[in-house]
Amino acid sequence: MKKKLTVIMLAIAVIGAFALSACGGEEATTLKVVTEATFKPFEFVEDGSDEIQGFDVDMMNAIAEDQGLSIEFVNIEFDALIPALDSNQGDIICAGMNKLSGDRAEQADFGDTYFESDLMLLVKADSDITGIDGVTPDMKLASQIGTTGGEYVQDLAKEGKIADGVVLNQWTDCYLQLQNGDVQGVIVDLPVGNAYLAENGDVAKYVGEKFGDHEEFAFAVKKGNTELLDKLNTGLANLKESGKYDELLQKWFS
Ligand code: GLN
């Protein structure tokens, strides 16, 4: 009788240990979403806070909820995003990233487009520059490293159309350089430049027309991770169907 009891207790202990390790296993599968959080309203951190918020954050959280995934956002530099997938530091990129740019699609697998964008030129509120065609060889323009805007300013410099294309790690640094007069313009994505102007209309203005190659923002996973990408795409389609996607557009872009 005593022996039987011991066996039963042992069995309970073994089952318990299995259950615990299963829970631990689930914790380990929290997926890391890497981003670069100076791209308001897609992803940003308010002064004095360390919470990453924005459209991309809400959208990914809603997709994760829909698909039963556990995610956490991790803030790194823009040009480190794609390498983070290969080094397994990140499982998903969601960073207002244009999937049509250069050879990005050869380095990562992108999902369905969730937002479309173009580039714009921001100048100081009192500037005489009339648009991207009005820049001159004495000027400096800034944009973020590793982005389409960063490439654009460097191309302008190579062509001799401006004196220097300054590429900086953060969008906030680009705006600061404009405010300080270190550069005469900043090339940025239209929705992001507009969000900046909504709060800083006294220091800067948008001149000319939108330009550059039309952009399609998408999340991305490591090459070959179709299982995860399918889930994310299904989640996105569900958000669009349920009206949640439009609700988030309203929240962040109205
Ligand atoms: N649209 C740009 C790109 O994909 C900028 C993205 C960003 O700065 N987050 O290159």
Side-chain angles (χ1 to χ4, degrees):
M1 190 63 192
K2 211 173 172 194
K3 203 171 177 188
K4 206 171 177 187
L5 201 69
T6 313
V7 170
I8 290 171
M9 280 172 72
L10 206 73
I12 290 172
V14 168
I15 290 167
F18 262 111
L20 268 180
S21 68
C23 285
E26 216 159 89
E27 253 166 52
T29 62
T30 293
L31 300 169
K32 283 194 165 58
V33 183
V34 285
T35 196
E36 192 287 314
T38 65
F39 203 52
K40 193 176 183 177
F42 290 93
E43 43 270 324
F44 62 100
V45 176
E46 251 4 331
D47 279 347
S49 154
D50 45 36
E51 185 207 351
I52 305 172
Q53 50 171 322
F55 178 83
D56 282 349
V57 180
D58 283 355
M59 178 187 72
M60 287 308 301
N61 279 329
I63 289 174
E65 199 187 328
D66 186 77
Q67 292 295 304
L69 301 171
S70 163
I71 61 165
E72 63 177 353
F73 268 80
V74 181
N75 192 11
I76 62 176
E77 280 171 11
F78 193 83
D79 59 350
L81 291 170
I82 290 182
L85 295 180
D86 289 324
S87 62
N88 293 320
Q89 282 175 296
D91 302 288
I92 302 167
I93 298 170
C94 192
M97 186 180 272
N98 172 27
K99 68 178 180 183
L100 304 178
S101 170
D103 61 355
R104 280 179 191 165
E106 284 156 37
Q107 300 177 54
D109 282 346
F110 284 86
D112 295 332
T113 301
Y114 67 83
F115 205 96
E116 296 188 28
S117 180
D118 298 276
L119 296 178
M120 72 190 283
L121 177 64
L122 285 182
V123 297
K124 265 191 147 172
D126 59 1
S127 170
D128 297 330
I129 303 171
T130 51
I132 196 69
D133 296 329
V135 296
T136 50
D138 56 327
M139 289 176 187
K140 288 184 186 176
L141 299 186
S143 196
Q144 192 184 35
I145 194 165
T147 66
T148 49
E151 229 172 82
Y152 205 100
V153 295
Q154 286 178 314
D155 285 347
L156 286 176
K158 263 187 236 147
E159 291 160 16
K161 291 184 178 157
I162 57 172
D164 198 5
V166 182
V167 286
L168 301 165
N169 280 334
Q170 302 189 340
W171 284 111
T172 37
D173 293 335
C174 298
Y175 304 141
L176 267 182
Q177 290 232 342
L178 182 68
Q179 281 171 32
N180 295 340
D182 296 327
V183 298
Q184 285 69 52
V186 167
I187 293 182
V188 65
D189 288 82
L190 198 61
V192 175
N194 280 332
Y196 173 75
L197 288 180
E199 290 171 7
N200 298 279
D202 50 335
V203 278
K205 64 182 176 187
Y206 167 28
V207 285
E209 304 283 326
K210 62 185 185 182
F211 58 90
D213 294 328
H214 187 63
E215 304 198 6
E216 294 190 13
F217 291 177
F219 38 71
V221 298
K222 192 177 179 171
K223 276 240 146 247
N225 195 352
T226 37
E227 192 186 330
L228 179 57
L229 194 60
D230 286 349
K231 283 185 184 167
L232 300 178
N233 279 334
T234 305
L236 177 62
N238 290 345
L239 295 197
K240 287 191 171 169
E241 194 155 324
S242 71
K244 178 74 184 170
Y245 179 87
D246 286 337
E247 193 186 294
L248 295 180
L249 280 185
Q250 279 291 323
K251 174 177 172 189
W252 292 107
F253 297 97
S254 59

